[in-house]
Amino acid sequence: MAAEQGDGSGEEFVEALVRLRAGAPVGELADWAAVHGLEVTPMAAGALLTGPADRFTAAFGEPPGPRAQSRSLPVPAALRDTARSVTVLAPPGLGADTDAPSPD
């Protein structure tokens, strides 16, 4: 499977779902992510963390790994009061495995 591309630079783009602890503000995650060059998008049940693979490696201390399946990353000590888990998402198929409906 080909790596997802970010900005055309050839660098792999990673998306991860962060499950927040009850009552934890997403702003704490956003502040931490900004220091590490990652973006945060708040969601109904947590947040989406996105950015280049090398930034994930630097921030989490290990690479996001092969992306054929979702996998967990360790929650950094700085986020232990904020995040319950961090899961790198497998890239979506976006129609690669499905037939598009034919126009009638």
Side-chain angles (χ1 to χ4, degrees), residues 61-87:
E62 64 181 68
R67 305 245 335 278
Q69 296 181 8
S70 297
R71 74 177 285 260
S72 294
L73 288 175
V75 175
L79 292 179
R80 289 205 178 114
D81 292 336
T82 304
R84 292 178 58 195
S85 65
V86 178
T87 305

Side-chain angles (χ1 to χ4, degrees), residues 23-94:
V26 74
E28 289 179 16
L29 174 63
D31 291 344
W32 177 88
V35 169
H36 294 284
L38 300 170
E39 298 290 325
V40 172
T41 303
M43 298 173 63
L48 184 67
L49 187 63
T50 59
D54 64 341
R55 304 260 172 117
F56 268 82
T57 300
F60 289 94
E62 64 181 68
R67 305 245 335 278
Q69 296 181 8
S70 297
R71 74 177 285 260
S72 294
L73 288 175
V75 175
L79 292 179
R80 289 205 178 114
D81 292 336
T82 304
R84 292 178 58 195
S85 65
V86 178
T87 305
V88 174
L89 304 172
L94 298 178

